Amino acid sequence: MAAALRRYYGRRHLHFITCSCYRRQPWLASARSRDLFLTILEQVRQRYGFVVVGYVVMPEHVHLLIGEPQRGTPSLVMQVLKQRVARRLLRRGRRFQPELWTEPRPAHFWQRRFYDFNVWSKRKRIEKLRYMHRNPVARGLVPSPELWRWSSFRHYAC
């Protein structure tokens, strides 16, 4: 990723955000870890006041389509979200910890940066939602998007 990465905030655009686990490791492979991610996402959403238009939580990355927060910036939101998820999932002594890690715990949970694409048109919003909702099917995790529990697809299908 470019060292002089520029992010454009304050224009009331939606933000299509992708963040990956460190070295694309499947740190979100368990249902419990994906459920915890979504719980923390909701806590962060309430605290910073932003709209979640769409999401999908994959085993080694996450896609979000969010509005601009009332407090802070999307960068701050992602910093807090990633820190909270990493702290909870890497915390020693958790009851389900052995189920998460079959090898030693990673030193890092997330890649350092995240990809952010400003979405300003209806056509791009639909394109990004379709892409994220089809991701579990394209990866062979489920035969159809509505079967992936960690996605906003069912909110649109109903």
Side-chain angles (χ1 to χ4, degrees):
M1 194 166 294
L5 179 66
R6 295 187 65 172
R7 301 200 191 273
Y8 296 95
Y9 298 150
R11 298 180 180 184
R12 295 188 174 163
H13 293 162
L14 294 176
H15 295 271
F16 178 69
I17 295 173
T18 301
C19 58
S20 298
C21 294
Y22 188 66
R23 295 185 177 168
R24 298 286 287 184
Q25 292 297 308
W27 302 139
L28 297 169
S30 74
R32 283 184 173 166
S33 61
R34 291 188 296 268
D35 288 342
L36 180 63
F37 177 90
L38 291 176
T39 297
I40 294 171
L41 174 62
E42 176 58 16
Q43 292 167 356
V44 172
R45 186 198 67 75
Q46 288 178 9
R47 180 172 181 195
Y48 291 93
F50 61 92
V51 174
V52 176
V53 177
Y55 66 88
V56 66
V57 184
M58 301 291 288
E60 71 292 312
H61 71 281
V62 174
H63 294 295
L64 300 172
L65 184 59
I66 65 170
E68 296 220 355
Q70 293 172 356
R71 283 174 252 130
T73 65
S75 290
L76 176 63
V77 164
M78 292 309 298
Q79 177 185 9
V80 171
L81 176 63
K82 288 167 66 175
Q83 283 177 350
R84 287 185 182 180
V85 169
R87 284 182 185 144
R88 286 288 301 275
L89 290 175
L90 295 177
R91 185 183 299 161
R92 296 182 189 275
R94 298 259 325 149
R95 200 174 77 202
F96 59 88
Q97 197 71 31
E99 296 173 25
L100 290 175
W101 316 117
T102 57
E103 53 191 53
R105 283 182 197 83
H108 303 282
F109 192 92
W110 298 105
Q111 286 293 106
R112 200 164 170 217
R113 303 193 76 171
F114 63 90
Y115 173 78
D116 181 7
F117 179 87
N118 285 52
V119 176
W120 59 88
S121 71
K122 181 179 179 181
R123 185 178 66 80
K124 276 292 181 192
R125 178 176 48 87
I126 292 168
E127 174 188 311
K128 297 302 182 186
L129 283 169
R130 282 186 179 153
Y131 172 79
M132 75 171 69
H133 290 151
R134 291 178 181 164
N135 208 298
V137 176
R139 291 279 309 285
L141 298 172
V142 289
S144 60
E146 67 274 6
L147 298 176
W148 189 249
R149 204 172 89 202
W150 303 276
S151 149
S152 58
F153 180 82
R154 287 178 286 175
H155 298 286
Y156 288 95
C158 294

